[in-house]
Amino acid sequence: MFTKILTAVLLVIFFAVMIGIGLYCRKHSTDVNGFVLGGRSVGPWLTAFAFGTSYFSAVVFVGYAGQFGWNFGLASTWIGLGNAFIGSLLAWVVLGRRTRVMTQHIESKTMPDFFGKRFESNGLKIAASAIVFIFLIPYTASLYNGLSSLFNIAFDIPYWVVIVVMALLTGLYVIFGGYMATAINDFIQGIIMLIGIVVVIGAVLADNGGLGAAIAELSQNTAESNPDLNGAFASFLGPQPTFLFFVVMLTSLGTWGLPQMVGKFYSIKNEDAIKKGTIISTVFAIVVSGGCYFLGSFARLYADSPAIKKVGDMIVFDSIVPAMLSTLPGVVIAIVMVLVLSASMSTLSSLVLTSSSTLTLDMIVPAMKKAPSEKKKLFILRVFVMVFIVLSAVIAILKDTFNFSAIAQMMGVSWGALAGAFLAPFLYGLYWKKTTKASVVASFIFGTVLMMCQLLISLGVFSVADVPVLSFVFTNSLYSGVFAMLGGLVIVPVVSLITPKMKKDTVDRMFVCFDENVTVKTTKSLGN
């Protein structure tokens, strides 16, 4: 009873703060630029936390931490470190400043808009918008995964109620305050995540006799794939290093091509904010992502827990972390509830804002015969925020109620399809003047077709088991997702070298923003 009351009180306070911030931020959302980008004046702390909280949702804490902790043991911590140094640090260093400068120069507000203006092609903008629409919705719906198992620890309420409440409250503060409300809420939610993950790790380790005792017990587990490999789950690279590599690459490098992640760089305030944001975002990722996977690495210590669900001989991975938490004190469980909701709502708000702005600004508004006013654009944006919230909630409820395998598999391929299609052309488009429109088309086709093939193979429509190379590529959506990204990095330069180039003066006009001289105070630069 104590756990229920405490959790309920914390959740009420949490929701009240979120809605209050949404109402407070209405003054920042009086035009499209403010609603979508926060007026391009968001500071380093808000941007860094917005990046991190959009990156790490309940899918990571509940799903991936349990699944990969079970598969790799302590080596799963490498995934969190990869997320921190490749997915956060390198992403900020390579993409941050350059994205901010060029997108402002060409007046781009979304990733599809970037492709349209950078390569002077309305067709590319529409194609990119369609890819975002098709694959971001099932990815958004996946954010609800695992919430049911966790909430059953504290409350005996139907899963659909949890989904509806979370979706409704997220929709309210995004509709009221736009990007600025999302960024401020992300900051608060990020602090909750930082505190929560530290508390949970400490509680789980204490529950197992401390760090040394937990590692010693974990080392006694043997790997199913190789029973003779003693101590596999307490080893440096774990029992499946190849699989581990693909997980690290997809979950880390993939952020470079996701529109909801890259979009954070559009709105950051200035040079100094980018430098500070790089450090803040990296530290946040080390604690949160590294902490989640480190926590999950002790999953096998709970192998005999009755709270771990099974379908036949197969473990339901979403039930592992809830099983680890089920025996902890009520205070810790209450903190975890707020932590998981923070992680889910922050990512959900980012995704629906990205989806609605892309559909509205890149497809609907250009198709209107008469250019709408700012007020009408804002109205359309807010309507589609709610549309995407409702769609994601309905898909999640349908998946849970009827266990549609197609929806589950679509969720699995979404990340790979988005990153595979967008990563290479966006990266080369920022840095290389010789990138061509045809190469962008080729990357779009390669990334989406490869992942759609993965979807059909997963659903049993056809098989490639007799073709060794293809059977390896399509082992699962993690493998094919990595090949989609790496393939794009090769395809774009190769196709660019053999296809017609853009006019030199046009490209030079795009890149002149990087050659402009600006005057800064000595506090910002050491000078000559």
Side-chain angles (χ1 to χ4, degrees):
M1 181 59 71
F2 170 75
T3 301
K4 289 184 178 181
I5 295 173
L6 180 60
T7 305
V9 170
L10 289 179
L11 290 178
V12 168
I13 295 171
F14 173 74
F15 291 142
V17 171
M18 299 300 104
I19 299 301
I21 289 171
L23 293 170
Y24 169 77
C25 291
R26 283 182 298 175
K27 62 183 179 182
H28 296 285
S29 303
T30 55
D31 58 18
V32 171
N33 190 52
F35 189 84
V36 176
L37 299 175
R40 293 189 190 266
S41 60
V42 185
W45 284 91
L46 293 185
T47 303
F49 272 64
F51 186 91
T53 54
S54 297
Y55 195 167
F56 311 116
S57 67
V59 175
V60 173
F61 181 75
V62 180
Y64 285 176
Q67 177 183 353
F68 299 131
W70 184 274
N71 288 332
F72 306 128
L74 279 177
S76 64
T77 307
W78 284 112
I79 305 171
L81 295 178
N83 292 173
F85 293 106
I86 300 174
S88 293
L89 176 63
L90 270 182
W92 276 76
V93 170
V94 176
L95 299 178
R97 181 183 182 277
R98 210 162 178 97
T99 297
R100 174 64 173 79
V101 172
M102 182 175 274
T103 56
Q104 182 173 17
H105 176 66
I106 64 177
E107 298 182 346
S108 163
K109 293 182 177 67
T110 66
M111 185 178 274
D113 191 34
F114 169 83
F115 289 124
K117 290 179 175 175
R118 166 66 177 84
F119 298 99
E120 295 192 321
S121 170
N122 192 53
L124 278 182
K125 181 171 74 170
I126 293 173
S129 299
I131 292 170
V132 170
F133 178 77
I134 293 169
F135 290 102
L136 211 55
I137 295 302
Y139 176 50
T140 304
S142 71
L143 298 179
Y144 302 100
N145 286 355
L147 289 177
S148 176
S149 300
L150 273 175
F151 269 80
N152 282 338
I153 297 176
F155 302 106
D156 185 19
I157 56 177
Y159 179 40
W160 69 266
V161 174
V162 178
I163 293 176
V164 169
V165 171
M166 174 179 150
L168 180 63
L169 292 169
T170 304
L172 284 175
Y173 76 71
V174 176
I175 288 170
F176 284 138
Y179 183 82
M180 190 58 75
T182 299
I184 295 175
N185 275 329
D186 285 349
F187 180 72
I188 295 172
Q189 291 159 352
I191 292 174
I192 293 170
M193 290 166 68
L194 287 171
I195 295 171
I197 195 64
V198 172
V199 170
V200 172
I201 290 173
V204 168
L205 290 179
D207 193 43
N208 287 278
L211 178 61
I215 293 176
E217 186 178 348
L218 188 65
S219 68
Q220 303 304 311
N221 283 266
T222 56
E224 294 87 344
S225 57
N226 187 355
D228 296 327
L229 191 59
N230 294 324
F233 294 104
S235 64
F236 188 66
L237 293 176
Q240 305 176 70
T242 302
F243 186 25
L244 176 62
F245 169 78
F246 278 94
V247 174
V248 171
M249 291 304 294
L250 182 67
T251 60
S252 302
L253 193 60
T255 60
W256 294 34
L258 297 179
Q260 76 275 16
M261 302 299 298
V262 175
K264 299 297 184 288
F265 301 134
Y266 286 43
S267 59
I268 197 165
K269 189 174 184 179
N270 53 32
E271 191 88 26
D272 186 55
I274 292 173
K275 293 176 182 177
K276 291 177 180 176
T278 303
I279 298 170
I280 297 166
S281 178
T282 304
V283 173
F284 182 88
I286 291 172
V287 176
V288 174
S289 186
C292 283
Y293 288 108
F294 178 72
L295 172 70
S297 66
F298 297 100
R300 286 181 178 263
L301 301 186
Y302 296 82
D304 297 328
S305 172
I308 293 183
K309 300 176 183 177
K310 292 185 178 181
V311 178
D313 294 329
M314 299 294 292
I315 288 176
V316 178
F317 291 119
D318 283 355
S319 68
I320 292 177
V321 169
M324 297 173 71
L325 303 174
S326 60
T327 59
L328 299 181
V331 174
V332 177
I333 292 174
I335 292 173
V336 170
M337 295 296 106
V338 181
L339 182 161
V340 172
L341 271 179
S342 297
S344 297
M345 291 176 69
S346 58
T347 307
L348 180 62
S349 63
S350 176
L351 289 172
V352 297
L353 190 58
T354 299
S355 303
S356 62
S357 58
T358 295
L359 188 64
T360 301
L361 302 179
D362 300 329
M363 295 185 78
I364 294 175
V365 170
M368 298 174 73
K369 291 182 179 180
K370 183 181 178 181
S373 63
E374 283 290 302
K375 188 175 180 180
K376 189 169 184 179
K377 286 181 186 177
L378 274 175
F379 176 75
I380 298 171
L381 273 166
R382 288 185 164 111
V383 167
F384 277 100
V385 164
M386 209 64 230
V387 168
F388 281 109
I389 285 273
V390 171
L391 272 176
S392 66
V394 169
I395 291 172
I397 292 170
L398 288 175
K399 174 185 173 290
D400 180 70
T401 305
F402 300 104
N403 196 26
F404 288 152
S405 58
I407 293 177
Q409 295 300 334
M410 191 71 176
M411 291 174 176
V413 305
S414 295
W415 181 295
L418 289 163
F422 294 149
L423 188 156
F426 186 79
L427 179 62
Y428 284 113
L430 283 176
Y431 278 91
W432 193 34
K433 292 184 177 182
K434 294 182 180 180
T435 308
T436 65
K437 173 184 172 182
S439 71
V440 179
V441 173
S443 181
F444 284 5
I445 293 173
F446 178 75
T448 54
V449 169
L450 187 72
M451 296 313 295
M452 288 306 294
C453 288
Q454 176 68 66
L455 176 63
L456 295 174
I457 291 169
S458 300
L459 293 173
V461 175
F462 65 90
S463 174
V464 292
D466 296 332
V467 185
V469 175
L470 291 180
S471 64
F472 180 73
V473 171
F474 294 108
T475 300
N476 55 47
S477 59
L478 289 168
Y479 279 56
S480 53
V482 172
F483 281 107
M485 291 188 297
L486 298 181
L489 291 172
V490 175
I491 287 170
V492 169
V494 169
V495 174
S496 292
L497 292 174
I498 60 175
T499 53
K501 308 295 183 290
M502 293 180 67
K503 293 180 181 179
K504 185 177 184 301
D505 60 338
T506 300
V507 178
D508 288 342
R509 192 167 63 250
M510 300 284 181
F511 280 78
V512 72
C513 57
F514 299 121
D515 299 322
E516 293 177 356
N517 292 318
V518 295
T519 303
V520 298
K521 294 180 180 180
T522 54
T523 54
K524 302 293 183 184
S525 172
L526 294 176
N528 295 323

